[in-house]
Amino acid sequence: MDGSAGSFVAVRRLSGSDRAAAFHHSSSGASPRLASDLDSSSFVFLHSGCCCSRLTPRDDAYGYGLCCPYAVAAAEVVTGSTAWIGRGLSCVCAQRRDSDARLSFDLTPVQEECLQRLQNRIEVQYDSANREHQEALQSLWCASFPGTELRGLISEQWKEMGWQGKDPSTDFRGGGFISLENLLYFARNYPKSFQELLRKQNGDRAIWEYPFAVAGVNITFMLIQMLDLQSVKPRSLFGAVFLKLLSENDQAFDILYCITFKLMDQQWLDMHATYMDFNTVMKSTRRQLERELLIEDIQRIEDMPSYRLLAR
């Protein structure tokens, strides 16, 4: 294979009996890694393209051909040479085999409607002049620091939450308004877990920790790319599975966000990571999410093994 054409990764889907093994695989730090993994170079990650157009049909032993660096999605993995096609985040593309009844690129009317609603949310950019957006930002502060008065939407106080400066709106550019909605959903629905992460209450923390709020924006962006949510139809196995979960629960994306944030922090602790390891931790988190989405008996977003990490 030409080095510029990407890589081949073959995976097998995990059966229900592999659920515990998949969850343990993350905690043990034994996740399969590609030789081309890059060192951390930037905290805010930018996706520079998709390799879907380069996907070549391939009949592999496990049933799925995936093309992209960092595409590690199951316990059994076969990899070829790799070439980096993006910066910081990866794109995972999957082919369909007719023998797999679970994967379908054709959406039901209900799934199309759910996807359209989610895409409408994704398209909304944060507008610091929009009163609804201002109120959401104010609500995020109140949920994060109850009893502490916010002196203004532009304030040095925001740095306490992990924003890069005194104006959080500058950090929403990568994730849009939905990244603020995700943080607010997390704070309101899983306040115990939210506060634990915000205040770094659990585990042996590093001297140089990841900034909580900016990490949250990156998680929103990563999930949108991983699930290929800006396409008309899912072009990956993970996207197809997620849309089925979304049709069962229209809050599935928000819940998955909370799962991902908590899982990322667990990976951070397990890897004894510091600030410069954030990129590596995010890639490891993504691989674990992909493994869990491949578990055969996942019918609801709450069935994902990492959901049990969350506490209300």
Side-chain angles (χ1 to χ4, degrees):
M1 178 179 293
D2 179 71
S4 64
S7 64
F8 175 77
V9 181
V11 304
R12 72 172 178 87
R13 294 177 62 195
L14 300 180
S15 64
S17 61
D18 292 320
R19 178 194 297 266
F23 187 73
H24 172 72
H25 201 64
S26 163
S27 300
S28 65
S31 300
R33 298 183 63 183
L34 301 183
S36 63
D37 278 0
L38 302 180
D39 291 333
S40 180
S41 61
S42 174
F43 188 80
V44 179
F45 306 119
L46 302 175
H47 185 269
S48 65
C50 174
C51 66
C52 296
S53 60
R54 298 203 302 269
L55 192 60
T56 301
R58 178 159 183 152
D59 185 14
D60 63 87
Y62 301 113
Y64 301 102
L66 285 81
C67 138
C68 272
Y70 311 125
V72 181
E76 294 188 24
V77 181
V78 179
T79 64
S81 62
T82 60
W84 179 239
I85 51 88
R87 223 186 132 200
L89 289 177
S90 60
C91 169
V92 181
C93 312
Q95 296 172 326
R96 177 181 180 179
R97 277 180 71 96
D98 293 336
S99 60
D100 186 3
R102 187 178 179 191
L103 176 61
S104 175
F105 292 114
D106 295 324
L107 304 181
T108 67
V110 172
Q111 290 173 340
E112 288 181 352
E113 183 179 349
C114 290
L115 176 59
Q116 186 60 59
R117 285 200 301 267
L118 183 54
Q119 288 176 337
N120 290 342
R121 293 177 60 193
I122 292 171
E123 291 172 2
V124 177
Q125 297 300 309
Y126 182 83
D127 181 0
S128 58
N130 185 308
R131 185 170 183 82
E132 178 187 352
H133 295 190
Q134 293 173 355
E135 291 175 352
L137 188 57
Q138 178 78 42
S139 296
L140 178 62
W141 176 269
C142 293
S144 302
F145 303 102
T148 301
E149 182 181 358
L150 178 64
R151 292 187 289 271
L153 293 181
I154 298 178
S155 170
E156 293 290 338
Q157 290 173 282
W158 286 110
K159 294 181 181 180
E160 298 174 24
M161 192 176 177
W163 300 104
Q164 296 184 91
K166 61 182 180 180
D167 183 3
S169 67
T170 61
D171 291 326
F172 286 126
R173 292 170 185 166
F177 182 59
I178 192 173
S179 60
L180 172 55
E181 292 181 313
N182 289 156
L183 280 168
L184 191 53
Y185 182 91
F186 192 9
R188 287 173 170 172
N189 291 273
Y190 301 97
K192 186 175 188 297
S193 291
F194 181 88
Q195 290 294 330
E196 288 173 349
L197 300 190
L198 171 64
R199 302 176 188 276
K200 305 294 196 300
Q201 293 176 337
N202 293 337
D204 184 14
R205 316 302 307 200
I207 296 176
W208 292 97
E209 278 286 320
Y210 63 85
F212 172 81
V214 177
V217 175
N218 276 276
I219 288 172
T220 297
F221 183 81
M222 182 269 283
L223 289 175
I224 292 171
Q225 297 297 319
M226 183 185 87
L227 301 173
D228 200 22
L229 294 176
Q230 293 175 300
S231 299
V232 176
K233 292 183 179 181
R235 295 179 296 184
S236 72
L237 172 62
F238 314 110
V241 170
F242 173 74
L243 286 184
K244 292 186 178 182
L245 301 179
L246 185 64
S247 66
E248 295 296 326
N249 185 344
D250 61 4
Q251 297 181 357
F253 184 78
D254 300 276
I255 297 173
L256 182 60
Y257 172 89
C258 301
I259 292 172
T260 304
F261 213 143
K262 187 65 176 175
L263 176 61
M264 184 277 292
D265 189 73
Q266 177 187 279
Q267 300 261 359
W268 178 275
L269 293 173
D270 290 346
M271 296 168 67
H272 304 287
T274 63
Y275 181 88
M276 293 304 294
D277 298 317
F278 185 82
N279 192 23
T280 301
V281 173
M282 285 287 284
K283 287 185 287 185
S284 177
T285 301
R286 174 172 174 155
R287 289 194 292 264
Q288 178 61 20
L289 291 173
E290 291 168 345
R291 281 193 291 271
E292 294 190 18
L293 286 171
L294 292 178
I295 296 174
E296 189 72 32
D297 57 350
I298 297 295
Q299 302 298 323
R300 306 176 308 136
I301 195 71
E302 295 89 349
D303 293 335
M304 292 182 66
S306 291
Y307 178 77
R308 69 189 187 192
L309 296 173
L310 292 171
R312 297 184 184 272

